[in-house]
Amino acid sequence: YDAAFAREGILRAYDLDEIFDAVEPLAHRPHIAGDRLAIVTNGGGVGVLATDALIAQGGELASLSPETLAKLDKVLPPTWSHGNPIDIIGDADAARYSASLGAIAEAGELDATLVLNCPVAVASSADAAEAVAQSKSGKPLLANWLGAQSAGRARQSFEAAGIPAYDTPEKAVRGFMHMVRYYRTQQT
């Protein structure tokens, strides 16, 4: 990140991969108010990877309010993480993804949501992606569905819905932070 470029409303990318990570969310021109990110995942490990990337890049993991936690408690199994990242457990199906996103849709303590999926044998990743693509929120939504072959249909659903989708959680966070930096420069 280069402050001189930021004053001009320009973001600096250091390689072709990073250019695509930056352009994907900016192409949809979502309004973002800050850098507080909620992470919804069916895999705790991938949620930790995204959290580490967010902190390393200067973003903030949103602190969930008691009201938001209560809403999540109503729609998630008792074994969910009870915090952010919101680990909705490995057997999460489309309905659980949808319910989780519905519970946080109006949460004032977050500025965007990153939804992650690790493929599992007991739930359809493609169906979960379709539920995410149909979710309604006034805040930016980004996705990372792991798997080269298994995530193909999911990425098509996201593309059709205008949701930036990435191959890795780290790339998704990098795309989010480019969006944050771009909108910060527009405010100065």
Side-chain angles (χ1 to χ4, degrees):
Y1 178 67
D2 187 308
F5 278 85
R7 283 191 297 277
E8 300 299 321
I10 299 169
L11 293 174
R12 174 174 275 180
Y14 292 94
D15 58 40
L16 189 58
D17 210 29
E18 189 172 1
I19 289 171
F20 286 108
D21 293 344
V23 169
E24 180 72 19
L26 293 175
H28 301 289
R29 311 285 286 169
H31 173 72
I32 189 162
D35 63 355
R36 300 169 302 166
L37 184 67
I39 299 171
V40 175
T41 181
N42 71 334
V46 73
V48 170
L49 289 173
T51 300
D52 289 348
L54 180 67
I55 292 167
Q57 294 181 46
E60 182 181 341
L61 192 62
S63 295
L64 302 178
S65 70
E67 294 80 18
T68 300
L69 291 169
K71 287 179 182 180
L72 288 164
D73 276 337
K74 289 179 181 176
V75 299
L76 294 176
T79 55
W80 80 279
S81 63
H82 295 89
N84 190 12
I86 303 164
D87 185 350
I88 61 175
I89 310 304
D91 65 347
D93 59 6
R96 194 176 304 160
Y97 270 95
S98 183
S100 300
L101 292 174
I104 65 171
E106 302 301 321
E109 66 269 21
L110 59 99
D111 300 305
T113 302
L114 171 58
V115 186
L116 309 170
N117 180 272
C118 302
V120 294
V122 296
S124 168
S125 293
D127 290 350
E130 190 58 38
V132 170
Q134 293 177 7
S135 67
K136 304 292 184 229
S137 175
K139 297 175 183 153
L141 187 62
L142 300 95
N144 162 238
W145 252 234
L146 294 173
Q149 311 300 327
S150 62
R153 193 170 125 211
R155 290 189 185 115
Q156 290 172 345
S157 294
F158 296 135
E159 185 176 337
I163 297 171
Y166 298 88
D167 296 337
T168 68
E170 295 86 0
K171 285 184 176 190
V173 168
R174 188 163 62 178
F176 167 71
M177 290 306 297
H178 276 296
M179 185 171 51
V180 168
R181 289 181 192 111
Y182 178 81
Y183 284 101
R184 281 180 182 163
T185 65
Q186 301 305 301
Q187 302 304 310
T188 58

